[in-house]
């Protein structure tokens, strides 16, 4: 709707320099920067080292607007049909591309892998994760079935994945 279009336009004007992301000390391969934490929405940036990944995960009941603000990343997404089977799509996004929208029933399970120069992605999440409201993050493995169809099996958070927080000191809305 018009609210999402306005947000997408606003996100198009934001880059890593405006957010001061380039000056952030990154404690690991994945760094989380909480920009705004609100009961109704969250704005965050994820900074990924070269070739680092955020494993296959979901956003239950959420709309997520994402914009790569520096570098590039491969996004592998899955749509789960009414039959419970998942169909995969892949794309490479860079700071040259506009923001992308993920809706509760479309591309709601995805994985990010940074390119050779790393990546930073800005997310607006509506509503935010909230375990008490049934919006916890779940991780998955994709098991290939026949004909390009997959089954997504929930797994524990991968042991090799760690996304550490850093202090955000840039612009705020």
């Amino acid at each position: 709707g018009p609210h999402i279009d306005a947000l997408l336009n606003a996100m198009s004007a934001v880059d890593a320099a405006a957010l001061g992301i380039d000056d952030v000390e990154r404690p690991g391969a994945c760094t989380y920067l909480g920009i705004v934490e609100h009961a109704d929405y969250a704005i965050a940036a994820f900074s990924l080292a070269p070739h680092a990944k955020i494993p296959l995960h979901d956003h239950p009941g959420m709309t997520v607007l994402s914009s790569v603000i520096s570098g590039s990343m491969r996004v592998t997404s899955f749509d789960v049909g009414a039959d419970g089977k998942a169909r995969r799509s892949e794309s490479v996004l860079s700071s040259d591309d506009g923001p992308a929208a993920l809706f509760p029933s479309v591309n709601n399970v995805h994985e990010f892998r940074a390119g050779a120069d790393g990546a930073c992605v800005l997310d607006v999440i509506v509503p935010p994760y909230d375990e008490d409201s049934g919006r916890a993050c779940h991780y998955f493995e994709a098991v290939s079935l026949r004909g390009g169809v997959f089954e997504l099996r929930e797994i524990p958070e991968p042991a090799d994945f760690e996304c550490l927080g850093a202090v955000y000191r840039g612009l705020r809305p």
Side-chain angles (χ1 to χ4, degrees):
H3 292 79
I4 289 179
D5 291 341
L7 266 172
L8 291 172
N9 285 336
M11 289 176 75
S12 295
V14 176
D15 61 16
L19 294 177
I21 299 293
D22 295 333
D23 302 327
V24 170
E25 289 202 28
R26 293 168 180 82
C30 176
T31 303
Y32 170 83
L33 296 159
I35 299 171
V36 175
E37 303 279 340
H38 187 277
D40 297 328
Y41 65 94
I43 302 173
F46 293 87
S47 179
L48 299 173
H51 307 292
K53 79 173 185 178
I54 297 176
L56 196 59
H57 66 283
D58 66 354
H59 293 269
M62 302 177 209
T63 297
V64 182
L65 308 178
S66 296
S67 183
V68 176
I69 57 174
S70 69
S72 66
M73 65 182 184
R74 174 175 294 283
V75 180
T76 304
S77 301
F78 291 87
D79 286 339
V80 180
D83 60 1
K85 305 299 182 218
R87 280 129 188 103
R88 180 175 65 188
S89 61
E90 290 187 314
S91 59
V92 174
L93 299 177
S94 75
S95 52
D96 295 333
D97 298 306
L102 174 155
F103 297 102
S105 60
V106 179
N107 293 333
N108 202 280
V109 178
H110 61 195
E111 172 183 287
F112 294 155
R113 182 175 295 276
D117 296 325
C120 185
V121 61
L122 176 67
D123 280 352
V124 176
I125 305 168
V126 181
Y129 284 113
D130 180 355
E131 288 190 28
D132 294 337
S133 298
R135 294 189 309 274
C137 184
H138 308 95
Y139 295 90
F140 298 88
E141 65 179 359
V143 178
S144 182
L145 304 175
R146 292 187 182 157
V149 176
F150 293 80
E151 177 185 343
L152 299 181
R153 294 184 185 153
E154 189 174 342
I155 60 170
E157 180 176 320
D160 61 350
F161 174 63
E162 183 174 55
C163 197
L164 301 172
V167 177
Y168 175 73
R169 294 188 170 93
L171 292 174
R172 293 191 187 272

